[in-house]
Amino acid sequence: MVCGGANSQLASSDVAEVLLRAGVTWVPDFVANVGGLIQAVAELRGEIPASARERVLGVRATVLDILEDAGAAGSTTLHAAEVRVERRLAAARSHRSAV
């Protein structure tokens, strides 16, 4: 398994397919790093630390869901994560336009 905090770990998105074919599980960097973003946003909003901690602990479930989605679809974890991000962004856009 490759799950590192460095940004842009792969030379190109095609490498995700190479890793999949080699049987290497890769957690995309933007998924692995999201806990830091959650913490930073919570601090900027003045939230209590316990609130951010609860959301950070939820990242584990998100990673497991991404791994499961990729396995079920026979796709890369990169693709599964990008699909999840696109769905969340679309939902956020829809929510903003409704307000």
Side-chain angles (χ1 to χ4, degrees):
M1 173 177 260
V2 177
C3 180
N7 291 337
S8 303
Q9 294 171 326
L10 306 183
S12 72
S13 59
D14 297 338
V15 177
E17 185 66 37
V18 172
L19 292 174
L20 175 66
R21 287 194 309 266
V24 176
T25 300
W26 175 61
V27 176
D29 54 303
F30 60 90
V31 176
N33 291 330
V34 76
L37 179 61
I38 291 169
Q39 179 65 37
V41 169
E43 287 177 14
L44 288 171
R45 291 181 175 173
E47 295 178 19
I48 59 171
S51 174
R53 178 176 164 71
E54 184 176 321
R55 288 196 308 280
V56 169
L57 291 174
V59 173
R60 179 181 188 272
T62 300
V63 170
L64 293 174
D65 287 346
I66 288 168
L67 296 176
E68 185 177 295
D69 291 350
S75 70
T76 67
T77 52
L78 177 59
H79 177 73
E82 288 175 335
V83 166
R84 180 174 287 265
V85 167
E86 288 299 323
R87 281 195 313 245
R88 291 187 82 169
L89 289 174
R93 282 187 215 103
S94 176
H95 175 74
R96 284 185 190 200
S97 66
V99 173

